[in-house]
Amino acid sequence: MELEPPADPQNDPVTDLPHDPGKDRENDAGDAGPGGPAASPEAVTELLGVIGYAELTAALRLAADALTAPALDVRVWMGRASCTEFEHFERIVTRLRETGHDPETVLSPFAGPVDAFHERTRPRDWLEGLVKAYVGDGIARDFYREIARRVDAPSRELIESVLHVDAQDEFVVRSVTEAIEADPTVAGRLALLARRLVGEAIAQAQYVALEREALIDLLVGGQGDLGDLGRMFTRLIDLHGERMARLGLTP
Amino acid sequence: MELEPPADPQNDPVTDLPHDPGKDRENDAGDAGPGGPAASPEAVTELLGVIGYAELTAALRLAADALTAPALDVRVWMGRASCTEFEHFERIVTRLRETGHDPETVLSPFAGPVDAFHERTRPRDWLEGLVKAYVGDGIARDFYREIARRVDAPSRELIESVLHVDAQDEFVVRSVTEAIEADPTVAGRLALLARRLVGEAIAQAQYVALEREALIDLLVGGQGDLGDLGRMFTRLIDLHGERMARLGLTP
């Protein structure tokens, strides 16, 4: 791909995470977080691939959704969020190159499920676009953050940095709250969209993982413990409920 | 609008432009270029308004067009170009704020003609999207650069900086050339689109200017010399022809 390298992501060591005592602290690349043994390099590459393709697609879709917003400030917020996602995408591409991978080869296999997710959760107007950006991006962040515990430190730091919560989320909360105040009936349709977002996200994530043994190992901590997976989904759904409450919507 | 100020644009004085001897060199804000007397502050604000709205819209449209490109490298190029345009938009917003204007008030009047231009030149596929980005952006840059000669130095420097030619234009030339080699019949339809782009750009520019006395004064150098305007159009069409030749298209 024709990509100029963006600025390097931060590479400060993460010092506030509990440490697996069996690991050598100096060995940054093998320093797994608290979620179990370090993931295989293959799984990390696939994880960066799916996040990268998802960020690129989210960036372009968000900009396209912005065109449907009549208010200039909404268009501007969505345009800025789009460029933030694009910048995250470029950082992932840089990391893939640094680890000797061709980004196009790594990203392309995830086009099917990511595009399917977006086709099935297409916003009908700018308000649905805002809720999709807020709720969908929130679920994705929580999910990747859970998984990132198990990957090597440089990849984990990159993933955490591209999941940085945008301070401008306050804008979404205010816009959605105002829209519901102006017309209380929109709350039902927005809640419905949010439920579809969760359902499709889980469906496509399963589809992605089930076809890839390395990613399944990453999800279940390399020990085949499906109880872990259930507890993770419980945490994700709790966090989703908190986000919905902030928007004034029923989860 | 909810806009965080981006980094300041370069503010180096432009030293290589001929100087109007009647002007005080120290008076940066009134230092007009060679095209005639300095434009009125009102005209400069309107000019920044139309460029700002055009950059925002071009950014979002380009990202939306990118979604139609099957090749990942094309999507990435268009996404990056989109974010560059968005960053230009944010710099114009910053400048409007600095000069005491509400960006939304200044930009909104230009929504009609800019949106109409895009509706009438909607690309039917990613290849037309690339040509539109290359040719349309090229015409816009040349046009604004002509006008910018007549505005105060800080505004002129801002306008020149947001019109910076992207080194990645080479990517468009290569993509279009390869597409024509693969199927020579596409050259005709791309040339047709380019002609429509020029026609619509001129039509909408006239519409914008004719309704705004300050902008008309800016266009004709404050002296009502329509001959100047004709010579300017000749230069613009020559430059457009050179761009078309680079793409291998008949102007």
Side-chain angles (χ1 to χ4, degrees):
Chain A
M1 287 194 291
E2 290 287 327
L3 304 172
E4 275 186 22
D8 266 351
Q10 292 179 320
N11 252 343
D12 303 323
V14 174
T15 52
D16 57 347
L17 284 175
H19 185 63
D20 188 341
K23 293 276 164 192
D24 177 4
R25 239 207 194 296
E26 300 306 305
N27 179 8
D28 217 26
D31 181 16
S40 69
E42 186 193 352
V44 172
T45 302
E46 288 189 337
L47 182 62
L48 291 177
V50 66
I51 298 180
Y53 190 84
E55 290 277 2
L56 171 64
T57 308
L60 301 179
R61 294 257 174 185
L62 196 52
D65 292 345
L67 285 167
T68 66
L72 204 57
D73 60 347
V74 177
R75 254 179 284 170
V76 170
W77 185 88
M78 292 171 97
R80 187 180 299 120
S82 162
C83 290
T84 303
E85 308 241 27
F86 191 83
E87 195 265 324
H88 292 168
F89 159 75
E90 299 222 274
R91 277 200 264 163
I92 287 168
V93 164
T94 300
R95 173 75 185 155
L96 286 172
R97 285 249 169 72
E98 283 169 1
T99 53
H101 296 92
D102 171 55
E104 188 147 1
T105 308
V106 176
L107 267 64
S108 298
F110 301 103
V114 172
D115 290 349
F117 168 80
H118 286 287
E119 281 309 311
R120 289 169 194 176
T121 58
R122 200 186 269 274
R124 282 181 302 175
D125 58 18
W126 65 272
L127 196 57
E128 291 196 2
L130 268 192
V131 169
K132 178 173 172 177
Y134 186 78
V135 170
D137 201 52
I139 298 167
R141 279 170 183 161
D142 293 338
F143 177 63
Y144 295 136
R145 192 173 284 128
E146 288 277 347
I147 295 189
R149 296 180 186 197
R150 300 192 173 97
V151 308
D152 62 278
S155 300
R156 186 171 64 240
E157 286 149 26
L158 169 62
I159 292 169
E160 300 263 351
S161 78
V162 303
L163 301 176
H164 172 73
V165 175
D166 196 321
Q168 302 248 351
D169 275 355
E170 195 46 53
F171 178 85
V172 180
V173 174
R174 199 172 60 243
S175 300
V176 173
T177 308
E178 284 172 7
I180 293 173
E181 274 169 16
D183 176 7
T185 65
V186 301
R189 118 176 123 87
L190 293 178
L192 209 65
L193 170 75
R195 254 168 261 145
R196 206 162 67 239
L197 284 168
V198 177
E200 282 298 332
I202 292 174
Q204 297 302 331
Q206 282 181 332
Y207 175 78
V208 165
L210 286 178
E211 295 213 332
R212 288 168 184 85
E213 210 163 329
L215 277 182
I216 273 285
D217 283 351
L218 185 51
L219 278 175
V220 297
Q223 297 151 30
D225 181 356
L226 289 169
D228 260 9
L229 201 58
R231 283 185 287 279
M232 184 185 81
F233 274 116
T234 307
R235 284 193 296 273
L236 292 180
I237 287 169
D238 285 349
L239 290 166
H240 168 67
E242 290 171 18
R243 259 189 306 273
M244 292 291 281
R246 277 199 292 280
L247 292 178
L249 297 175
T250 313
Chain B
M1 290 194 290
E2 292 285 329
L3 304 172
E4 275 185 22
D8 267 349
Q10 293 181 319
N11 251 344
D12 304 321
V14 173
T15 50
D16 57 348
L17 284 173
H19 186 64
D20 186 342
K23 294 274 165 193
D24 178 3
R25 238 206 196 292
E26 302 304 306
N27 180 7
D28 218 23
D31 181 15
S40 70
E42 187 194 352
V44 172
T45 302
E46 289 188 335
L47 182 62
L48 291 177
V50 68
I51 297 180
Y53 190 85
E55 290 276 2
L56 172 64
T57 308
L60 301 180
R61 295 259 174 184
L62 196 52
D65 292 345
L67 285 167
T68 66
L72 203 57
D73 60 346
V74 177
R75 257 182 281 171
V76 170
W77 186 89
M78 291 172 99
R80 186 179 299 119
S82 161
C83 290
T84 303
E85 307 242 24
F86 192 84
E87 194 265 325
H88 293 168
F89 159 76
E90 299 222 275
R91 278 200 261 164
I92 286 169
V93 164
T94 301
R95 172 75 184 159
L96 287 170
R97 285 249 168 71
E98 282 169 1
T99 53
H101 297 92
D102 170 54
E104 188 147 1
T105 309
V106 176
L107 267 63
S108 298
F110 301 102
V114 172
D115 290 348
F117 167 79
H118 285 287
E119 282 308 314
R120 289 170 195 175
T121 58
R122 199 186 271 274
R124 283 181 301 173
D125 58 19
W126 66 272
L127 196 58
E128 289 196 4
L130 268 192
V131 170
K132 178 172 171 178
Y134 186 79
V135 169
D137 201 53
I139 298 166
R141 280 171 183 160
D142 292 338
F143 177 63
Y144 295 135
R145 191 171 285 130
E146 287 278 346
I147 295 188
R149 298 181 185 197
R150 299 192 173 98
V151 309
D152 60 278
S155 301
R156 186 172 63 240
E157 286 150 24
L158 170 62
I159 292 169
E160 300 262 352
S161 78
V162 304
L163 301 177
H164 172 73
V165 175
D166 196 322
Q168 301 251 349
D169 275 356
E170 195 46 52
F171 178 85
V172 181
V173 174
R174 200 173 57 243
S175 300
V176 173
T177 309
E178 283 171 7
I180 294 172
E181 274 169 15
D183 176 7
T185 66
V186 302
R189 114 176 126 86
L190 294 178
L192 209 65
L193 170 76
R195 256 168 257 145
R196 205 161 70 240
L197 284 167
V198 177
E200 281 298 330
I202 292 173
Q204 298 301 331
Q206 281 180 334
Y207 176 79
V208 165
L210 287 178
E211 294 215 330
R212 289 168 183 85
E213 210 162 329
L215 278 182
I216 273 284
D217 283 351
L218 185 51
L219 278 176
V220 297
Q223 297 154 28
D225 181 357
L226 290 170
D228 261 6
L229 204 57
R231 280 185 289 279
M232 185 184 80
F233 275 116
T234 306
R235 283 193 296 272
L236 292 180
I237 287 168
D238 285 348
L239 290 167
H240 167 68
E242 290 170 18
R243 259 189 306 275
M244 293 290 280
R246 276 199 293 279
L247 292 178
L249 298 173
T250 314

